[in-house]
Amino acid sequence: MQQRAISLDLSLLPLSSCATVFKKRNFFLLREIVIYLFTAFLLIDLGNILQETGMVARGVLALLLLFSVISWGLILQKLGLFGRIRRQSDQFLRIFRATRGVANPQALAASGSPFASVYAAGYRELQSQVGNATPGTQQPPRLKSLQAVTVNMQLASSEEVRRAEKGMSWLATTGSVSPFIGLFGTVWGIIDAFSGLGSAGSASLRAVAPGISEALLTTAAGLFVAIPAVIFYNQFLQNIRILAQRLDTFSLEVAAQIEKAFN
């Protein structure tokens, strides 16, 4: 019944339109078949290579897999962290600059932004010097030390930058060490290849193929682990630098507001 319905529908179309429909269907079907065969070939070939590798190469691949899993976990965690910092910081700065004064941190925004922590540190030092006095009165209290407020904000800024830098050393280590771990597997695979060549007694491809494939596999695995770690390390390092510069600028902005209000 379904085939008859399809033939009736196609019979209503012109001959050129029917040909176009069949060409598109055949093209998509052929593309899916090619992708499936290519993927199956890669998986089968990779499985055969893994079966022929020795214990040393398997240990190298397991170590690189461990490095890769931990690195990608840190990468995903950092991506979420910097995205959250960007959203919360933009919200806090928008509310802070709309108030145009020295306000209670709880009245600005209840967010976990680093800017909120820096502002709260400066506000606590301000309260310890002037008490609960509010600016704008007839005789506002004088600020004892603006530098103390600035230092407290700088300390809070350094703490927030340190939190953002947590885990960066692992990405740096992965990016620098993984190629050498893969190179160790490469050297070991070449040693196995020459050992197989000596055992066979003749220069045949069958004698050296397992060792060469093992060497190339560990080299590729080392690069596969190192390249994403280096890329995201540089990106996150740039994000941390931008965050530190913005926090320093914000500390100067808050210090200027306090000096204007209490001096």
Side-chain angles (χ1 to χ4, degrees), residues 4 8 52 89 125 139 156 171 173-174 181 187 189 192 196 204 216 229 234-235 254:
R4 184 177 299 175
L8 290 174
E52 295 178 356
S89 300
E125 177 61 26
Q139 293 181 351
L171 293 179
T173 303
T174 301
I181 297 176
V187 174
D192 282 346
S204 62
L216 295 177
N234 292 328
Q235 179 63 40
V254 174

Side-chain angles (χ1 to χ4, degrees), residues 62-78 166-175 178 225 228-229 232 236:
L63 183 60
L64 290 174
L65 179 62
L66 177 64
F67 271 84
S68 180
V69 169
I70 298 176
S71 298
W72 277 106
L74 284 173
I75 287 170
L76 296 177
Q77 188 265 338
K78 290 293 182 183
K166 187 179 297 183
M168 293 291 292
S169 60
W170 178 265
L171 293 179
T173 303
T174 301
S178 295
V225 175
F232 283 102
F236 295 153

